[in-house]
């Protein structure tokens, strides 16, 4: 049988102890309140000292409870602020990514503007350029260094013409087709270009190595040596390359020869300019042909007349 809902405290010893303890606390609290009230009325200074002592004891506890209450009270605000900061962080990251894309585009446009401005200045310096065309490919997996130009004999490109870029000399035309040409790059082992040093005019030869670098060999009798950073330009000797076109700079010092790096890099170059040879070959000299001797006319043969009969 289920016990009744309303049970008297006498049936439970725990309830009895709780009720008794409640009465004791109530009576003790009443007595303490009465004593404190009487003390405040009879001896206010003593009551003030007692109140200060109680405050000193309860202040740390109150501070701790206040801190814990503030901490628990700040939890909802912290949670909402966390989600707000996360959304703001996501928004700022997206904005930073968009700005980075715009920055990279502006950087690319700035690079294109500088390259085209340099190409325009090069075109202004060149007296009679043949054509400006695109380098569509270049060899980089073998020891030979060639490039293909998308312009050929139909555009006026001929074998032996120098090819330059915004940064310097690229090479010379080796073979031509109707709409394409094969360019022998400056770094090819078969390429030899007469050059001179800019700071003192010392003559030298720039020969390709086949590995993307070039060898600078001195042709002067008194050679002071090569220093890192020496700049070499074309000298105009040989009649193919025009003078004062940048070729390369020394990367490692040497005595009679040094390794240099070319200014024009075909693997990053898109447009190049074909020029006329600095000194075009002279036209072939016409060999004078001996004048033909007049053929003698045949002599006329005498006609034989019939003899007249003798007169009688």
């Amino acid at each position: 049988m289920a016990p009744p809902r309303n049970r008297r405290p006498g049936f439970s010893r725990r309830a009895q102890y709780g009720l008794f303890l409640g009465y004791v606390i109530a009576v003790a609290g009443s007595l303490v309140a009465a004593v404190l009230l009487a003390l405040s009325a009879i001896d206010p200074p003593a009551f003030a000292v007692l109140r200060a002592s109680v405050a000193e004891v309860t202040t740390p506890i109150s501070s701790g409870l206040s801190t814990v209450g503030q901490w628990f009270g700040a939890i909802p605000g912290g949670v909402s602020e966390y989600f707000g900061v996360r959304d703001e962080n996501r928004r700022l990251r997206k904005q930073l990514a968009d700005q980075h894309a715009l920055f990279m585009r502006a950087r690319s446009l700035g690079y294109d503007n500088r390259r085209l401005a340099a190409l325009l200045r090069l075109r202004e310096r060149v007296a009679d350029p043949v054509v400006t065309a695109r380098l569509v490919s270049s060899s980089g997996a073998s020891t030979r260094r060639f490039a293909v130009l998308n312009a050929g004999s139909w555009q006026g490109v001929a074998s032996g013409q120098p090819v330059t870029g915004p940064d310097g000399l690229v090479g010379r035309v080796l073979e031509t087709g109707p709409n394409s040409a094969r360019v022998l790059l400056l770094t090819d082992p078969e390429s030899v270009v007469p050059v001179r040093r800019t700071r003192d005019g010392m003559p030298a030869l720039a020969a390709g190595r086949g590995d993307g670098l070039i060898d600078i060999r001195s042709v002067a009798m008194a050679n002071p040596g090569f220093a890192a950073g020496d700049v070499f330009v074309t000298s105009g000797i040989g009649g193919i390359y025009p003078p004062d076109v940048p070729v390369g700079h020394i990367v490692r010092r040497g005595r009679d020869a040094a390794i240099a790096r070319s200014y024009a890099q075909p693997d990053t170059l898109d447009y190049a300019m074909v020029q006329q040879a600095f000194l075009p070959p002279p036209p072939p000299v016409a060999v004078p042909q001996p004048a033909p001797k007049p053929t003698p006319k045949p002599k006329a043969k005498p006609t034989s007349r019939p003899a007249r009969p003798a007169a009688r």
Side-chain angles (χ1 to χ4, degrees), residues 9-218:
F11 289 99
S12 175
R13 191 174 297 276
R14 181 180 299 176
Q16 291 178 359
Y17 288 155
L19 184 60
F20 176 73
L21 184 61
Y23 287 148
V24 170
I25 292 174
V27 172
S30 300
L31 292 177
V32 171
V35 171
L36 293 176
L37 182 60
L39 184 61
S40 64
I42 297 173
D43 192 358
F47 178 74
V49 172
L50 180 61
R51 183 174 56 189
S53 300
V54 174
E56 289 292 335
V57 173
T58 57
T59 296
I61 300 175
S62 301
S63 299
L65 294 177
S66 176
T67 303
V68 173
Q70 292 178 358
W71 184 77
F72 279 105
I75 289 177
V79 172
S80 61
E81 184 177 359
Y82 168 76
F83 286 104
V85 169
R86 188 176 63 176
D87 295 339
E88 184 70 14
N89 189 17
R90 187 183 298 111
R91 185 184 66 82
L92 291 177
R93 285 179 180 273
K94 184 178 182 302
Q95 183 179 359
L96 183 62
D98 296 340
Q99 291 180 353
H100 180 71
L102 292 176
F103 171 75
M104 294 303 295
R105 179 171 177 80
R107 188 175 181 180
S108 177
L109 291 176
Y111 170 76
D112 290 340
N113 288 335
R114 291 192 301 270
R115 179 178 52 80
L116 293 176
L119 189 61
L120 181 61
R121 289 194 299 269
L122 177 64
R123 186 181 182 89
E124 291 175 352
R125 289 196 302 265
V126 176
D128 49 352
V130 176
V131 68
T132 300
R134 185 187 294 272
L135 287 174
V136 295
S137 66
S138 60
S139 61
S142 64
T143 57
R144 301 305 305 272
R145 293 292 185 265
F146 298 101
V148 178
L149 194 73
N150 65 343
S153 58
W154 288 359
Q155 290 78 25
V157 180
S159 177
Q161 292 176 341
V163 181
T164 58
D167 298 326
L169 185 65
V170 176
R172 61 182 174 88
V173 178
L174 188 63
E175 300 172 354
T176 59
N179 280 311
S180 64
R182 198 178 189 192
V183 179
L184 181 70
L185 298 180
L186 182 64
T187 56
D188 188 85
E190 298 295 331
S191 173
V192 178
V193 180
V195 296
R196 64 176 180 85
R197 190 161 54 186
T198 55
R199 61 185 174 91
D200 57 1
M202 184 192 72
L205 292 177
R209 293 169 51 92
D211 57 355
L213 300 175
I214 54 179
D215 282 332
I216 304 294
R217 302 187 182 94
S218 174

